[in-house]
Amino acid sequence: MKTITTTADLQTFCTQAAAHPYITVDTEFLRERTYYSKLCLVQLAMPGTDDSNAVLVDPLANGISLEPLYALFRDTSVVKVFHAARQDLEIFFVDAQVFPEPLFDTQVAAMVCGFGEQVGYETLVRKICHQGVDKTSRFTDWSRRPLSDAQKKYALADVTHLRQIYEFLAQKLEESGRARWVAEELTILTSPETYVTAPQDAWKRVKTRTNSPKFLGLVRELAAFREDFAQQRNVPRNRVYKDDALVELASLKPSNHEELGRARLLLREARKGDIADGILKAIAKGLATKPENLPKPDRSRDKMQVNPALADLLRVLLKAKTEQAGVAAKLIAPAADLDAISAGDRDVPALRGWRLEVFGEDALRLCDGQIALTARGNDVVVVEV
């Protein structure tokens, strides 16, 4: 098991990798104590059947630069293969504003090939490689050095089995003509907007029991301050204050440190210093916001007139179509989207791209009364009206 600790050795490996059609990639990182993930290890493997073409890259080694790897990521002649790539891609985007191109995500490809929704790596290793994965090093501190042989073996397995999984799924996609489906799904993963949280938009992720614009205005400013503070100091947002404390502060509306001290859910560290000052400024800003500038919650779905009978028919159609196509139903449309379609909403993912071909076109025809559903043996089939 070779571990690369110098830029020169990484350059040598990446130059060799550039001569191959693909390379498999994985990372190990920590995020419990920071806002941004701390990259601790990168695993890479060129095509092969053993460990000889696989390496571990230590990004914590003194003086090492990952630029040779990023240059390989930019090389469009080499496919970069990940499994469940979102968190890996976020690390590389934050560090170097680079996305691997072209990208192949075996989790996405497996869903399209009928392996179920968000299928795990261990499942694919078992079903495709017919092997097991040692899980003993899964919960480990990857920032500590030296790494044990068990840790290295565990980490390397994440890219060596991935080669066989990629080759199997790529062939399946070519045979089925579904490679375009995967490409559509990956556009979200390679969009910078996926990984950038603007502080002024952070409030949208906070769950509240009220949609009062004035209350949401306070939530917006408190969430914006927390997000900015966490980003600037690279600490988890919950270390600043948790969502329940944020909602409590929006209700209490403290105007000074004494009133702030009455908050029951606020962490002790947040009752003084920069955090306390920031909270009070955020509250004051929220209270001073003009009515026309307050957040307006999206109530469009609240006003929808869902047709329960039609929604049930759409569920039956979805089940029939996904069984026929061999893909997970939730990959095409969650229940909320089916309700939206039955209420007349046409701006849902199920009515775009490859989902439109598999399900959406007949869903619209069903809504318009152009087709009906009937049972034929154990199957549900579409009939023209």
Side-chain angles (χ1 to χ4, degrees):
M1 292 179 287
K2 181 178 180 180
T3 300
I4 291 176
T5 58
T6 68
T7 306
D9 285 347
L10 180 58
Q11 180 64 68
T12 299
F13 178 86
C14 290
T15 300
Q16 295 172 352
H20 293 275
Y22 73 85
I23 184 172
T24 56
V25 188
D26 191 38
T27 69
E28 305 297 343
F29 56 88
L30 294 178
R31 197 170 192 170
E32 290 78 7
R33 298 183 294 272
T34 57
Y35 183 92
Y36 299 105
S37 296
K38 179 181 180 180
L39 181 62
C40 299
L41 197 67
V42 182
Q43 304 98 285
L44 304 169
M46 294 181 278
T49 57
D50 56 25
D51 293 349
S52 60
N53 281 351
V55 297
L56 304 175
V57 180
D58 187 356
L60 303 182
N62 186 34
I64 192 171
S65 167
L66 295 183
E67 184 52 39
L69 178 61
Y70 296 147
L72 181 61
F73 282 176
R74 299 183 187 101
D75 184 346
T76 57
S77 69
V78 183
V79 177
K80 273 64 72 170
V81 182
F82 293 75
H83 180 82
R86 191 190 187 287
Q87 293 190 74
D88 303 313
L89 297 185
E90 181 180 11
I91 291 172
F92 298 130
F93 175 72
V94 169
D95 185 53
Q97 291 73 57
V98 62
F99 288 115
E101 186 183 0
L103 171 70
F104 190 98
D105 189 321
T106 56
Q107 185 178 71
V108 175
M111 289 192 287
V112 169
C113 290
F115 283 86
E117 185 186 11
Q118 293 185 330
V119 60
Y121 181 69
E122 292 87 351
T123 300
L124 294 181
V125 172
R126 185 175 66 254
K127 290 186 176 181
I128 295 175
C129 306
H130 307 293
Q131 297 185 44
V133 175
D134 182 6
K135 302 178 183 179
T136 55
S137 296
R138 171 176 291 180
F139 302 106
T140 188
D141 185 349
W142 292 101
S143 67
R144 298 187 65 179
R145 295 293 185 271
L147 295 174
S148 67
D149 287 343
Q151 287 176 307
K152 293 178 180 180
K153 182 178 179 181
Y154 169 87
L156 212 58
D158 284 343
V159 288
T160 52
H161 295 310
L162 195 56
R163 298 175 296 195
Q164 185 177 349
I165 293 171
Y166 164 67
E167 292 174 0
F168 176 89
L169 293 175
Q171 181 178 348
K172 284 287 186 182
L173 291 173
E174 183 177 356
E175 293 171 353
S176 64
R178 296 181 178 180
R180 178 173 55 85
W181 297 13
V182 175
E184 286 185 24
E185 296 300 294
L186 294 182
T187 56
I188 298 176
L189 287 179
T190 54
S191 170
E193 289 75 17
T194 302
Y195 308 100
V196 176
T197 300
Q200 282 301 110
D201 292 331
W203 70 277
K204 298 175 182 178
R205 297 187 309 203
V206 180
K207 294 181 179 179
T208 64
R209 293 185 178 182
T210 176
N211 285 327
S212 161
K214 290 184 178 180
F215 182 80
L216 292 179
L218 293 167
V219 170
R220 180 177 65 186
E221 299 307 326
L222 287 165
F225 163 69
R226 179 180 66 173
E227 202 73 20
D228 184 65
F229 187 94
Q231 290 177 357
Q232 293 295 327
R233 290 161 176 78
N234 195 23
V235 296
R237 62 177 64 90
N238 283 344
R239 292 281 183 90
V240 185
Y241 43 82
K242 297 182 179 180
D243 282 2
D244 55 358
L246 187 155
V247 173
E248 181 189 35
L249 290 168
S251 299
L252 292 175
K253 300 185 285 290
S255 60
N256 53 54
H257 286 82
E258 181 181 354
E259 293 177 0
L260 182 64
R262 297 171 189 163
R264 295 184 301 108
L265 303 176
L266 199 60
L267 296 172
R268 182 174 59 185
E269 294 78 5
R271 297 171 185 268
K272 57 186 178 180
D274 292 341
I275 297 179
D277 292 342
I279 290 173
L280 295 176
K281 289 179 181 178
I283 293 290
K285 185 177 180 180
L287 292 174
T289 303
K290 295 180 180 180
E292 61 269 25
N293 295 328
L294 291 171
K296 296 175 177 60
D298 182 7
R299 292 195 175 96
S300 57
R301 294 214 167 186
D302 296 338
K303 298 177 181 178
M304 288 192 310
Q305 297 297 315
V306 176
N307 184 328
L310 181 55
D312 287 342
L313 283 176
L314 288 169
R315 285 172 172 78
V316 175
L317 175 65
L318 178 63
K319 189 173 188 301
K321 289 291 185 178
T322 52
E323 287 180 352
Q324 179 182 348
V327 297
K330 288 184 179 179
L331 180 62
I332 293 182
D337 283 0
L338 298 180
D339 290 340
I341 294 172
S342 76
D345 188 356
R346 299 296 179 258
D347 186 22
V348 295
L351 301 181
R352 296 192 293 269
W354 68 269
R355 292 175 174 84
L356 179 66
E357 300 172 24
V358 175
F359 168 73
E361 290 176 348
D362 277 344
L364 291 174
R365 295 173 68 205
L366 182 65
C367 292
D368 293 339
Q370 298 176 13
I371 61 172
L373 304 177
T374 187
R376 187 173 295 165
N378 293 327
D379 298 324
V380 173
V381 297
V382 172
V383 295
E384 299 288 337
V385 174

